[in-house]
Amino acid sequence: MERRELVQILAAVPALAQSGRPHQPRFFTPDEYELLDSLTDALIPTGPGSPGARAANVGYYIDTVLLYAPKQTQQSWREGLGGMRALGLPPERAMEKLASTEAAPSTPVERFFVMFKRMTVEAFCHAEIAQREFFHYKGNHAVREFPGCGG
């Protein structure tokens, strides 16, 4: 896949995700997608000042990226989600456990968590709802002064 193709695909994700229809996973199986959605929501939950991963359609973003990813990357995600499921923990507890080993991951599921977290945060940051509600982005416009800068 050409870089240009990937940029076009990723540019289309927010518009497609806001269509109002439930997402039908294209890469993940429905069970894998349900697990992914639960895990991303546990990592970035809805709360005061944050729309959360589910509202930001993080699962949709990841599903779309992986649909076009190399086979090796796709296999890593399938195995990683399988490893997370094998932990047998509720999503919130799994995130706590794996985050505690993030600095020095030693098992395949711990190494997957690092990749999973990076992609989840990336997807969240790209979402329009997160930019507005979490980052308080107001759009591109000129400002006359920057109150926090200078004296």
Side-chain angles (χ1 to χ4, degrees):
M1 172 186 319
E2 296 288 323
R3 183 174 183 265
R4 180 174 292 151
E5 284 179 288
L6 181 60
V7 169
Q8 290 171 338
I9 291 164
L10 294 180
V13 169
L16 294 171
Q18 294 173 2
S19 67
R21 294 184 309 250
H23 175 60
Q24 298 299 313
R26 296 178 300 154
F27 167 70
F28 292 110
T29 66
D31 286 344
E32 288 171 333
Y33 187 80
E34 184 179 326
L35 175 61
L36 174 73
D37 191 51
S38 295
L39 291 168
T40 60
D41 195 57
L43 187 65
I44 305 176
T46 301
S50 176
R54 190 168 283 138
N57 293 305
V58 167
Y60 185 93
Y61 178 98
I62 294 171
D63 185 57
T64 302
V65 168
L66 289 174
L67 179 65
Y68 298 100
K71 296 292 181 203
Q72 183 178 2
T73 302
Q74 292 175 338
Q75 187 62 29
S76 294
W77 274 80
R78 288 201 191 282
E79 290 171 1
L81 284 178
M84 289 182 135
R85 186 182 305 279
L87 291 174
L89 298 170
E92 294 79 12
R93 182 68 186 110
M95 294 298 99
E96 290 172 13
K97 177 179 173 38
L98 293 169
S100 71
T101 63
E102 183 178 6
S106 61
T107 67
V109 72
E110 290 171 353
R111 286 187 288 277
F112 172 74
F113 174 75
V114 174
M115 181 173 58
F116 164 83
K117 181 179 176 184
R118 185 178 306 125
M119 178 82 82
T120 299
V121 170
E122 176 184 313
F124 181 76
C125 291
H126 284 293
E128 183 180 343
I129 192 171
Q131 290 175 14
R132 279 192 331 265
E133 295 181 20
F134 184 75
F135 297 111
H136 306 290
Y137 178 69
K138 304 291 184 208
N140 294 335
H141 61 279
V143 293
R144 294 191 186 276
E145 62 183 49
F146 297 93
C149 299

